[in-house]
Amino acid sequence: MLMNAPVGIFTSTPAGRFLSVNPALSGMLGYDSPVELLDSVKDIATQVYADPREREELLHQLETRSQVKDFECRLVQKDGTKIWASKNVWVVGDEKVRVR
């Protein structure tokens, strides 16, 4: 179901590595497949965010609450084009999971 969702869905590490992405996200970011995106992006903050400070702000918000809704930020597509995105993000794990 997630692989066929019309919206971009992903899991990532606090350090900034994608663990999984769906086809909608890879297409939105201009990659031919989820595998290409996973192989190409080694640091989400510097390769996906137009301004790495926006990821830092998102992580800061996730430190104080486990879910952030409607977080607007600019992302960079594979070809360098900047796009706006609105994210709903939550921390997955038990109460001992650290965001950073």
Side-chain angles (χ1 to χ4, degrees), residues 7-10 18 20-31 37 75:
V7 296
I9 299 173
F10 66 92
F18 283 120
S20 65
V21 300
N22 74 341
L25 181 65
S26 60
M28 180 188 319
L29 294 177
Y31 292 87
L37 176 56
L75 304 179

Side-chain angles (χ1 to χ4, degrees), residues 10 18 25 44 48-49 55 58 68-73 75 85-89:
F10 66 92
F18 283 120
L25 181 65
I44 295 170
V48 176
Y49 281 79
R55 178 167 164 81
L58 177 60
V68 176
K69 292 185 178 183
D70 301 321
F71 183 85
E72 292 187 355
C73 59
L75 304 179
S86 178
K87 294 182 168 197
N88 293 317
V89 182

Side-chain angles (χ1 to χ4, degrees), residues 36-47:
E36 181 189 14
L37 176 56
L38 290 170
D39 288 346
S40 299
V41 175
K42 306 301 181 199
D43 181 17
I44 295 170
T46 60
Q47 292 179 271

Side-chain angles (χ1 to χ4, degrees), residues 59-69 89 91 99:
L59 292 176
H60 175 73
Q61 289 185 30
L62 287 170
E63 286 177 340
T64 59
R65 55 185 185 256
S66 62
Q67 185 173 4
V68 176
K69 292 185 178 183
V89 182
V91 177
V99 175

